[in-house]
Amino acid sequence: MAGVIGTLLNGVASSMVSKRIAIIVNPIAGKRRPHSVHRFAGYLKQAGFDVRIEKTLFPGHATELARQLVESRQYGYIVAAGGDGTIAEVAEAVVGSEVIFCILPIGTANVLAHELSINFDERQNASNIIKGYSTTIWPAFLQNDGRESLFVQMLGIGIDAHIVHHISSRLKRVMGKAAYALQMLRSLWQYELREMSVSIDGQIYEKATSVIISKGALYAGEHRLLPESKQKDEVFAAVLFQSRNKIDYLLAASAFFMGKVSHCRHIKVVTAKSVEINAPDKLPIQSDGDIRGFTPATVTISTKALKVAAPI
């Protein structure tokens, strides 16, 4: 009964939202599927939506475009058509507004789309938007290098960020997800595991050599990092790898791919609202698969929610 009531309320709410929808497309996203975007737009037009398509030209452009659209107050929906990085850029402008955030996953990993069960089929994806499906999530913010940036799924400091900083864009286009596995082996050879000081809600955790801060349960596609998602909660999970031994890291990575991270003795998981990270050296940072500079860094949960067109 509750599910039926929820569906009816969603339908009522969607009828009150402007049927103007803007699609922000990253033309160099992993799968480069321009036909996917046009098919998706076509289904929305058939349902009576006024559709506008904008293409990004440079990193950060998606945020600029989305912010202009939000400030115009003319659009009820804004779609991020790309990978996790594009999604985070658009979300940064939409968070806290009345605009419904939509995702057309055409990137390499598409982790948030998997996390929120967003359909990869253009027709079904458009249908869920038309039906008014939505959920509320709480993203997080990274502060470092004198700026603040939002992330919606995960942030990494240490070796996984080294992978993102050094992976070849060309190799990623050719090999897809396999390019990350290859770069992981390279980074394991090149990167020295260095300890950092991690303060979680005021408590110090020493000896972490790699940190993943995750809003979701999934990581690197559909692989499960955590038992449950925290997307709908005003907290995130800090996953600390606590060894300088690269063999231990390989074993932890193997445990991750087998879905047994909780059994790894070198990993500690802590629920938090804020994390501060300091290290003697500047350590690389990535969020939602994009390069985000270096430590020191502070991560906090957003005080503003994001309304997402998702069926869960």
Side-chain angles (χ1 to χ4, degrees):
M1 183 68 179
V4 173
I5 293 172
T7 301
L8 289 172
L9 288 174
N10 271 335
V12 171
S14 67
S15 67
M16 300 170 64
V17 177
S18 166
K19 294 190 75 171
R20 298 190 71 183
I21 186 166
I23 304 173
I24 297 176
V25 184
N26 178 357
I28 60 170
K31 296 181 181 178
R32 292 190 174 189
R33 290 160 36 185
H35 298 300
S36 177
V37 174
H38 291 296
R39 282 195 298 268
F40 176 73
Y43 297 135
L44 292 169
K45 288 176 181 177
Q46 288 173 16
F49 279 79
D50 179 0
V51 180
R52 171 179 175 176
I53 298 176
E54 295 279 358
K55 292 183 180 180
T56 62
L57 302 176
F58 49 84
H61 194 204
T63 302
E64 290 184 18
L65 290 171
R67 185 165 287 122
Q68 291 169 8
L69 293 165
V70 170
E71 291 174 353
S72 75
R73 298 182 181 274
Q74 296 179 23
Y75 292 86
Y77 306 80
I78 296 177
V79 183
D84 294 304
T86 305
I87 289 165
E89 284 193 13
V90 177
E92 185 166 339
V94 177
V95 67
S97 74
E98 293 301 311
V99 174
I100 296 175
F101 179 59
C102 311
I103 296 169
L104 180 62
I106 56 174
T108 303
N110 303 299
V111 187
L112 185 64
H114 288 296
E115 184 83 32
L116 299 179
S117 298
I118 291 172
N119 209 293
F120 281 60
D121 175 79
E122 299 91 356
R123 183 189 294 273
Q124 188 58 53
N125 190 329
S127 176
N128 288 340
I129 294 170
I130 294 162
K131 290 175 182 176
Y133 291 150
S134 68
T135 192
T136 298
I137 66 173
W138 294 86
F141 281 96
L142 162 69
Q143 292 177 314
N144 74 314
D145 292 345
R147 69 181 300 269
E148 183 177 77
S149 56
L150 177 142
F151 66 95
V152 288
Q153 183 70 11
M154 50 73 188
L155 173 147
I157 301 175
I159 191 166
D160 85 313
H162 186 273
I163 293 167
V164 173
H165 278 235
H166 292 86
I167 193 168
S168 162
S169 298
R170 180 177 177 275
L171 197 63
K172 192 163 64 168
R173 287 195 297 270
V174 173
M175 297 180 63
K177 294 178 185 178
Y180 286 94
L182 179 60
Q183 183 58 49
M184 185 185 78
L185 296 176
R186 289 176 175 169
S187 290
L188 198 60
W189 175 262
Q190 298 166 349
Y191 184 77
E192 178 188 353
L193 291 170
R194 288 165 288 181
E195 292 180 356
M196 60 188 96
S197 173
V198 184
S199 173
I200 301 178
D201 290 342
Q203 182 175 348
I204 301 294
Y205 291 79
E206 300 284 358
K207 298 184 179 179
T209 55
S210 185
V211 177
I212 294 173
I213 296 174
S214 185
K215 282 296 302 174
L218 304 181
Y219 187 82
E222 298 179 80
H223 300 288
R224 185 164 289 273
L225 176 67
L226 299 167
E228 59 185 21
S229 174
K230 300 188 182 301
Q231 285 288 2
K232 297 182 181 181
D233 303 321
E234 294 178 67
V235 293
F236 46 72
V239 182
L240 313 180
F241 176 70
Q242 298 178 303
S243 171
R244 296 190 67 172
N245 189 306
K246 291 185 178 182
I247 298 298
D248 290 340
Y249 184 85
L250 274 175
L251 292 173
S254 299
F256 162 66
F257 285 113
M258 291 188 293
K260 297 181 179 180
V261 168
S262 60
H263 299 153
C264 183
R265 67 188 180 94
H266 296 294
I267 288 180
K268 186 176 187 65
V269 181
V270 184
T271 299
K273 284 193 171 186
S274 68
V275 173
E276 291 184 19
I277 297 174
N278 290 280
D281 304 304
K282 286 187 174 292
L283 303 183
I285 302 175
Q286 65 87 11
S287 70
D288 292 328
D290 277 357
I291 296 169
R292 293 297 183 198
F294 299 88
T295 56
T298 300
V299 180
T300 54
I301 197 70
S302 173
T303 58
K304 298 177 181 178
L306 184 67
K307 292 190 289 187
V308 186
I312 62 171

